[in-house]
Amino acid sequence: MIFPDEALSDDKFLMGRLRLLQPRQGYRAATDPVLLAAACPATAGQSVLDLGCGAGAAALCLAARVPDLSLAGLELQPGYADLARRNAARNCVAMQVECGDIAAIPRALRRGFDHVIANPPYYHAAGSPSPVAVRDTALRTNTPIAEWVAAAATRLNPGGWLTMIFSTPNLPEALAALPPKLGSPLVLPLAPRDGREAPRLILRARKGGRAAFRLLPPFVLHQGPAHDGDRENYTPAANAVLRDGADLSAAFR
């Protein structure tokens, strides 16, 4: 299904440096793709594949920070793939978007990439469904996270990096899926506030990497012990990423 114009909103990301068409009802990008883009260590001239690219938020946030990237995306749902193409064009970014499944990556994407990024669905399909079908597909899956890792490993060039954001309970499965192709895992917990458990995290792993596993100090998103009113209270570091498009390189040192 292709989304009609009247079903879309026009949303600002990175303080308006990026404008994205998104469905008013359905999966809508929030902070996760912005954080994912900030964590990808791509440099100018490199190639990046976004697995499950949705409307293109993560890849286009990355393009807003890093110039001259060769971008590609794979998206299961035709409506979101169409939006990714439209969003790339309206933001003057060249991006190849193919519709297909990670279990059978289209021939047009069967090449090597310097980076693969992914924001897999968080929840198993057996959970309570969303009444909006396209949102349910974006959030729930029968595809294990190990298959996302395997698909990324197949598409990465030697020495290339996988960067993923997902819910913390999926970490053991993701780490177990890394060998033998991927190694040097770095895990950055994303804590909502100082002293709180991190429900999400970012994983980086390198094709052919042999460094030891590292669990990094949490990246804290909000200031204070609790929400204190109808306003945002991001930490300065989170604000730099989510508003100004800064990278997360310091958090991975």
Side-chain angles (χ1 to χ4, degrees):
M1 146 183 158
I2 302 300
F3 296 103
D5 287 347
E6 60 270 20
L8 301 174
S9 62
D10 188 351
D11 302 315
K12 295 180 181 179
F13 285 73
L14 305 179
M15 296 298 288
R17 290 167 56 195
L18 183 67
R19 300 292 293 262
L20 293 182
L21 296 173
Q22 300 194 92
R24 296 182 187 277
Q25 291 189 317
Y27 170 75
R28 294 173 56 81
T31 59
D32 280 9
V34 185
L35 292 164
L36 175 62
C40 177
T43 57
Q46 291 189 317
S47 56
V48 182
L49 171 62
D50 186 353
L51 292 178
C53 66
L60 296 176
C61 282
L62 180 58
R65 175 170 61 84
V66 184
D68 302 321
L69 293 174
S70 175
L71 290 177
L74 175 65
E75 171 54 39
L76 178 64
Q77 301 189 76
Y80 280 98
D82 176 70
L83 283 182
R85 296 185 192 103
R86 293 175 64 183
N87 284 329
R90 71 200 301 259
N91 286 281
C92 301
V93 175
M95 181 176 174
Q96 175 191 0
V97 179
E98 302 293 337
C99 192
D101 195 324
I102 64 165
I105 291 180
R107 186 174 299 277
L109 293 176
R110 292 182 193 173
R111 61 182 185 273
F113 293 86
D114 300 310
H115 298 271
V116 173
I117 60 175
N119 179 12
Y122 279 6
Y123 308 109
H124 194 273
S128 300
S130 166
V132 181
V134 292
R135 184 174 189 273
D136 197 58
T137 301
L139 292 176
R140 301 182 187 280
T141 182
N142 282 316
T143 304
I145 201 162
E147 292 189 21
W148 289 80
V149 173
T154 300
R155 299 274 63 87
L156 278 170
N157 290 327
W161 284 95
L162 165 64
T163 307
M164 300 178 72
I165 185 169
F166 51 84
S167 60
T168 300
N170 287 319
L171 179 59
E173 180 185 349
L175 291 176
L178 295 180
K181 292 184 178 181
L182 299 173
S184 303
L186 299 163
V187 173
L188 178 67
L190 300 171
R193 299 183 186 277
D194 192 31
R196 298 276 189 92
E197 291 187 8
R200 297 171 296 161
L201 54 81
I202 296 173
L203 169 68
R204 271 194 199 169
R206 192 168 198 179
K207 189 161 186 177
R210 287 182 167 78
F213 168 84
R214 291 177 59 203
L215 179 62
L216 303 168
F219 184 77
V220 180
L221 295 172
H222 297 279
Q223 302 182 77
H227 187 62
D228 60 356
D230 189 18
R231 62 184 180 86
E232 293 177 347
N233 60 348
Y234 289 121
T235 62
N239 197 64
V241 169
L242 298 173
R243 298 292 180 232
D244 301 330
D247 67 27
L248 273 168
S249 58
F252 283 91
R253 290 179 185 147

